[in-house]
Amino acid sequence: MSDVDLIIIGAGPAGMSAAATAARGGLKVLLLDEQGHPGGQIYRNVAKNGTSRSWLGKEYASGARLVEALDNPHISTQFGATVWRLDDGPTVVWSKSGTSQISTARHVLITSGAQERPVPFPGWTLPGVMPAGAAQILMKSAGMLPRDAVLAGSGPLLYLVAAQMIDAGCPPKAVVETQTPRMMLNALPHLPKALLGISTLFKGLGLIRKIKAAGVQRYSNASDFRAHPNEDGTLAFSFQAKGKETHLNCALLLSHQGVIPSTHMTRSAGIAHEWNEAQQAFQPVTDDWGTTDRTGLHVAGDSAGIGGADAAAAAGELAALNILQLCGCLNSDTRNQRAAKARAGLLRARSLRPFLDAAYAPTAETLAPVDETIVCRCEEITAGDVRQSMSEGATGQRQMKTSLRTGMGPCQGRMCDATVRAILCAPRNTATDSIAPPRARAPIKPVTLAELAALSKIQAGAD
Amino acid sequence: MKVVSRFQPPPESGPKVQFVFEDEQITAPQGISLAAALLAHSGNATRRTSTGAQRTAYCMMGVCFECLVDVDGVPNTQSCMTVVRDGMVVKRQIGLRTIQGGDYV
Ligand code: FES
């Protein structure tokens, strides 16, 4: 007998909309999230912020309605709960306040979202260098505003953070953009399809207008990022733009090169993954409803491929409708009928994606940085070390791990897998999908030995 | 040398908590993460790697493990995932794999 019908891992837009849909359909749902409040990263703290911090914008505030829908007697929630193991069964092992628990369900939906793509360059490990998304988390969760900050990189989030900073009264010192005219050319053929998402496109243009109107200095086609520490703890940031070396001093250097799916959980569960060339990232293989090749395991939202918050909410609803049908609460005709609206929403939300993926593609130097760059922050291994190891015969990520310890630190490769892979693929121009995704093993988040011991005692007692 | 915070101070209103970082008493708004409180307090490093390099919290979402500190004697605590509490005693961490009580798998 399972504890509940459905366990949902991650309370972002996909997880929240799935929980509400499943509970309304009669399923008993357990919703787990590592953070202290629902919302995921995109709507982080949305219910608590209410109408304060209005500079975060209307889009952000709209997440509140997803949080409200969690108020349903069929949904139990656990926040501050870190899932560290997921097995067939399905069985979920999660830890909260130093104690681990095992929960079982007929179905598990993984909505673990995305992480920012690592942006390695010489100096990216210095205090003061952070991802733009991290600064945004501090704005949402603590009302902390970046001071004397430069935004550098590319992607919609870079513009959004710049606009939020302007509205909050702390405009960035400069926005240094890496996208090239060539990327825009590559993106143009996707524009007709993107017109379905025209309102989002207009919102994006509005952000750029706001940055221009605020008189923020912008640099385009920038490359060769480098940061050095100044005596007073500030950063000396240098880059090439229009063939000229440019120097900026700042207290905070906020980088961004898009987001990639968080796949540690799906990989550790043995779900098949595929390489998404346009997004330069691995994603789990799923069907239209989010089902995977593992019985009872489903994936929706950004953790199944980057689509953004609206796409995630729609995909979460679709996955929940399908799970309702699998549990016998709906027949397939009703499921399909009820899915029509979410399907249309998903199509609309995704229509802009190919254009964005091409226009704001990660730069070559982000994917495979210069030799002196640290790529594995935990073990302090440089791109040069990785290339050296390749010249000595290493051809895959497994061998790299054994010879260099890349990905063996506490982050378990979350900050270096993408880079090591790109460096491995660069010289022979190997199609990136010929190298399998690195394996992820439980525990996918560190657990103390004491916690493990306590858990095995419970298990022994139950047997 | 103390490096000034890279963030503007969080809003004054609302309940506060007090905790100790190294030898300093720090006041922070209730409900924020320990990593946020440390970043609001100063721009200095909160961790050193085993080669001595300085690091501060990076991703703020539990991914990078750069924010590890020692909280009430427990090393390897992810400060971005820990809500700051009254009376916490926080220390800088040197290296990632400390032995006492910090034997992580
Ligand atoms: S700052 Fe990255 S895990 Fe805490």
Side-chain angles (χ1 to χ4, degrees), chain A residues 390-401:
Chain A
M390 282 167 71
S391 72
E392 287 160 8
T395 53
Q397 246 155 318
R398 262 282 265 308
Q399 290 154 308
M400 212 52 87
K401 267 191 179 179

Side-chain angles (χ1 to χ4, degrees), chain B residues 31-81:
Chain B
I32 73 172
S33 70
L34 174 58
L38 292 171
L39 287 170
H41 172 67
S42 96
N44 285 92
T46 47
R47 176 172 94 76
R48 274 175 194 282
T49 66
S50 36
T51 64
Q54 308 204 0
R55 301 281 173 88
T56 43
Y58 185 72
C59 73
M60 299 306 294
M61 55 181 283
V63 171
C64 73
F65 291 75
E66 290 290 9
C67 62
L68 299 183
V69 288
D70 180 304
V71 176
D72 298 330
V74 182
N76 298 327
T77 304
Q78 266 179 303
S79 59
C80 75
M81 304 298 288

Side-chain angles (χ1 to χ4, degrees), chain A residues 168-381:
Chain A
C170 61
K173 205 167 178 173
V175 178
V176 180
E177 299 174 38
T178 55
Q179 69 271 22
T180 61
R182 157 127 235 144
M183 290 178 195
M184 201 33 98
L185 274 182
N186 292 342
L188 283 179
H190 300 293
L191 201 52
K193 193 182 166 215
L195 294 179
L196 197 56
I198 190 93
S199 64
T200 317
L201 206 56
F202 275 129
K203 275 178 208 147
L205 291 172
L207 298 177
I208 297 173
R209 265 201 308 278
K210 179 172 285 194
I211 298 165
K212 281 193 183 142
V216 175
Q217 175 84 52
R218 282 174 80 195
Y219 299 86
S220 57
N221 205 348
S223 64
D224 294 292
F225 283 12
R226 231 161 250 275
H228 290 284
N230 290 324
E231 288 259 306
D232 62 356
T234 59
L235 297 164
F237 174 41
S238 68
F239 56 91
Q240 297 279 339
K242 296 218 175 90
K244 252 198 1 229
E245 175 144 325
T246 308
H247 295 265
L248 295 172
N249 278 318
C250 57
L252 264 179
L253 175 55
L254 304 175
S255 67
H256 185 69
Q257 291 281 349
V259 297
I260 54 176
S262 298
T263 56
H264 264 68
M265 188 142 0
T266 47
R267 279 185 288 133
S268 75
I271 293 168
H273 285 64
E274 63 191 349
W275 179 252
N276 181 329
E277 183 63 26
Q279 300 194 337
Q280 290 287 303
F282 275 111
Q283 62 189 41
V285 181
T286 56
D287 70 4
D288 276 359
W289 300 98
T291 33
T292 70
D293 59 341
R294 302 300 272 214
T295 316
L297 299 186
H298 314 253
V299 193
D302 274 359
S303 50
I306 303 304
D310 292 342
E317 188 178 336
L318 292 173
L321 288 171
N322 185 50
I323 292 165
L324 280 166
Q325 189 251 320
L326 293 171
C327 289
C329 303
L330 289 181
N331 63 40
S332 47
D333 284 345
T334 326
R335 175 197 68 177
N336 296 348
Q337 265 163 21
R338 286 188 43 196
K341 208 173 142 218
R343 280 249 176 266
L346 185 62
L347 196 69
R348 206 170 34 246
R350 277 196 186 148
S351 60
L352 201 54
R353 206 33 65 175
F355 174 79
L356 293 177
D357 289 341
Y360 301 105
T363 59
E365 70 173 25
T366 300
L367 296 172
V370 292
D371 278 352
E372 68 194 274
T373 317
I374 288 181
V375 297
C376 170
R377 299 175 62 111
C378 297
E379 302 285 338
E380 302 181 274
I381 295 152

